[in-house]
Amino acid sequence: MSSSALSPAARLRALRPDWLGDPKVWRTEVLAGLVVALALIPEAISFSVITGVDPAIGLFTSFTMAVTIAFVGGRRAMVSAATGAVALVIAPLNREHGLGYLLAGVILAGVFQVALGALGVAKLMRFVPRSVMVGFVNALAILVFMAQVPEMRNVPWAVYPLIAGGLALLVLLPRITTAVPAPLVSVVALTLITVAAGIAVPTVGDKGELPSSLPVPGLPDVPFTLDTLTTVAPYAFATALVGLMESLMTAKLVDDITDTPSSKTRESVGQGIANIVTGFFGGMGGCAVVGQTMMNVKVSGARTRLSTFLAGAFLLVLCLALGPVVSEIPMAALVAVMIMVSIAAFDWHSVAPRTLKRMPAGEITVMVVTVACVVATHNLAIGVVAGSITAIVVFAKRVARLADVTAVTDPDGTSVVYRVTGALFFASSNDLVGRFDYAGDPDKVVIDLSAAHIWDASSVAALDAIENKYAQRGKTVELTGLNDPSAALHDKLSGELTPH
């Protein structure tokens, strides 16, 4: 039956979200959103410090990003909030020009992301190879763990048994029951223990003062002039690229974990809309936050937009209504949760000796470069770009080796046939010119290209150079066996690539 034949009530039921009628899914999504909201608080405050703004700005950023992306994003259950990658890029704008310029930069970055999304920049994700993706995942796990290390230095001794106890709960509780997310139980249990026993350990409240009022929308306090635009635009464009790359990589990661597709174009545009909204509400900008997304999807089992929305909504409620209670949460509880996230996110199979023995050296190199660049810069986008470039170089070298030239001279010695095989492009065709015996060959030379393919202008230029070298010695060259695309490219460019 077509949708037009359905009654209004039936159409309404068909449009109803999957989770609305399933109490089990509802419980999972609600509890996942609460856990993620708790984990967002210390990170949002930390990123505020990096950017040089009040902690409330980072918290409001996480709220507006999560709530907005829940409606306009292209990947269900993915969480967007304030992130370190965006904070590092946008921070100089605040330090050098002030908060007004920072907000203008966030809004303009959102506009750039909407434009890039509409232009199809998400399609570039198909060029990110698997080895880069594996490196991205492993680097993210390492960064999540490294972010917890400062919370374990120069702290009271009681922090360590609390972390150990939290990890034990996170490991053992899922084996007993999954009715309640283990991270939530761990956070509540450790908080009750520290408060009841009066244990003095660092708490969420030590990270900064939580906000006491709602954010108010408004325009950035900057002159709307061309000078302002030229000042803000470079930072905004860099922020847009970093945010999109991290968000799209995270979306692809969630696609693989949940075995469900997502709209990368919608996600790109959605990230832009979320940043525009965040900028008007006085936020510092953000993108998909990988650690909390893994907590939401992989640890808590969330699969719908409800968990993303509730993560933002609970964050605001926790800060405004339950600020004193949230302030008492020991950092040890959140550290234990994030350590478990890093362990779960790391692709241990990729570094197993058995896997490394079978993996081509080039693939391992790409993965290592990706991880090394991310860990060194603390920027996932830089690692992805470096890894992708390395993968291109490795691929080019590998394909270039497949190109070969063999020569067969006719018995009567009047001609020679050179058979060229493989892909001819800039990496392989550069060596092509030196594979012919210009002085010793007979007057007629045939170059058989039936087992080759011409990919670029460099290959056409190399064939022209070969013909010219023979022509200088009074010898003729005949090209045979070109497939249609190769012939079309050769006919178009031959004789046009060097000065006449």
Side-chain angles (χ1 to χ4, degrees):
M1 182 183 294
S2 67
S3 59
S4 60
L6 294 174
S7 67
R11 285 201 298 270
L12 187 61
R13 286 194 298 270
L15 294 173
R16 186 176 62 180
D18 296 338
W19 50 264
L20 201 56
D22 191 333
K24 184 177 179 181
V25 174
W26 174 273
R27 183 178 64 249
T28 299
E29 300 297 312
V30 171
L31 294 177
L34 180 57
V35 172
V36 171
L38 290 170
L40 283 172
I41 293 173
E43 288 208 353
I45 295 173
S46 299
F47 298 147
S48 299
V49 174
I50 292 174
T51 312
V53 297
D54 189 83
I57 291 179
L59 292 165
F60 285 147
T61 298
S62 294
F63 159 67
T64 54
M65 288 293 298
V67 169
T68 305
I69 207 67
F71 291 98
V72 300
R75 172 65 260 177
R76 290 180 296 174
M78 191 168 79
V79 180
S80 290
T83 60
V86 169
L88 289 170
V89 175
I90 204 74
L93 193 56
N94 180 59
R95 287 196 300 267
E96 297 170 15
H97 302 282
L99 181 59
Y101 282 81
L102 169 69
L103 301 182
V106 171
I107 294 171
L108 185 57
V111 173
F112 281 140
Q113 287 178 328
V114 171
L116 290 170
L119 291 173
V121 70
K123 295 178 181 177
L124 295 176
M125 287 302 297
R126 73 181 70 173
F127 297 108
V128 178
R130 181 187 177 279
S131 51
V132 172
M133 192 67 199
V134 173
F136 170 85
V137 172
N138 290 344
L140 128 76
I142 293 171
L143 285 186
V144 170
F145 180 82
M146 289 175 61
Q148 312 315 310
V149 173
E151 304 297 337
M152 295 184 282
R153 290 176 177 167
N154 302 318
V155 294
W157 68 269
V159 168
Y160 303 110
L162 285 172
I163 293 175
L167 288 172
L169 276 173
L170 292 167
V171 172
L172 298 176
L173 186 62
R175 300 180 182 179
I176 301 172
T177 178
T178 56
V180 181
L184 180 59
V185 174
S186 179
V187 169
V188 172
L190 295 187
T191 303
L192 291 175
I193 290 172
T194 55
V195 172
I199 302 174
V201 292
T203 64
V204 169
D206 297 331
K207 287 292 182 179
E209 185 178 351
L210 301 181
S212 57
S213 60
L214 290 169
V216 179
L219 293 174
D221 184 17
V222 295
F224 292 91
T225 63
L226 183 60
D227 287 341
T228 300
L229 180 62
T230 55
T231 299
V232 167
Y235 296 98
F237 191 67
T239 300
L241 291 179
V242 168
L244 278 184
M245 187 172 297
E246 188 157 343
S247 298
L248 294 175
M249 290 293 290
T250 305
K252 191 173 187 299
L253 178 59
V254 177
D255 290 353
D256 294 339
I257 292 173
T258 62
D259 197 24
T260 57
S262 63
S263 172
K264 305 302 186 296
T265 298
R266 179 178 173 180
E267 183 61 38
S268 302
V269 174
Q271 288 292 329
I273 294 172
N275 272 304
I276 292 171
V277 171
T278 296
F280 281 121
F281 273 91
M284 52 184 261
C287 62
V289 55
V290 194
Q292 276 70 17
T293 295
M294 290 298 98
M295 183 185 296
N296 194 45
V297 174
K298 201 164 186 177
V299 178
S300 300
R303 292 293 183 271
T304 76
R305 297 178 184 275
L306 178 63
S307 59
T308 305
F309 171 80
L310 289 178
F314 281 143
L315 175 63
L316 189 65
V317 171
L318 289 170
C319 292
L320 297 181
L322 301 174
V325 176
V326 173
S327 296
E328 295 299 323
I329 295 174
M331 287 301 301
L334 299 178
V335 168
V337 172
M338 296 310 292
I339 289 176
M340 185 56 65
V341 168
S342 68
I343 293 172
F346 196 90
D347 187 348
W348 296 101
H349 176 73
S350 67
V351 295
R354 183 178 178 183
T355 304
L356 295 176
K357 287 179 181 179
R358 296 183 176 183
M359 190 74 66
E363 302 288 319
I364 297 174
T365 300
V366 170
M367 182 178 68
V368 171
V369 167
T370 304
V371 172
C373 288
V374 171
V375 173
T377 64
H378 285 224
N379 191 322
L380 292 165
I382 291 176
V384 171
V385 171
S388 298
I389 292 173
T390 304
I392 291 171
V393 173
V394 170
F395 174 77
K397 289 182 65 176
R398 186 180 302 161
V399 174
R401 293 196 192 102
L402 300 179
D404 194 22
V405 179
T406 55
V408 178
T409 305
D410 279 357
D412 57 8
T414 59
S415 67
V416 61
V417 177
Y418 283 93
R419 180 174 173 80
V420 181
T421 59
L424 300 183
F425 64 112
F426 62 89
S428 58
S429 60
N430 288 334
D431 296 330
L432 195 63
V433 179
R435 303 291 296 275
F436 295 82
D437 184 5
Y438 303 101
D441 283 341
D443 291 342
K444 184 179 179 181
V445 178
V446 178
I447 301 178
D448 179 10
L449 295 161
S450 56
H453 187 96
I454 299 175
W455 286 104
D456 60 6
S458 297
S459 302
V460 177
L463 292 173
D464 284 353
I466 293 169
E467 292 186 75
N468 289 335
K469 286 181 177 293
Y470 278 116
Q472 291 169 4
R473 293 167 173 79
K475 301 175 182 181
T476 61
V477 175
E478 179 186 357
L479 302 181
T480 63
L482 284 169
N483 57 38
D484 291 341
S486 298
L489 183 62
H490 184 269
D491 292 342
K492 181 181 179 180
L493 298 178
S494 182
E496 303 295 332
L497 300 174
T498 56
H500 298 293

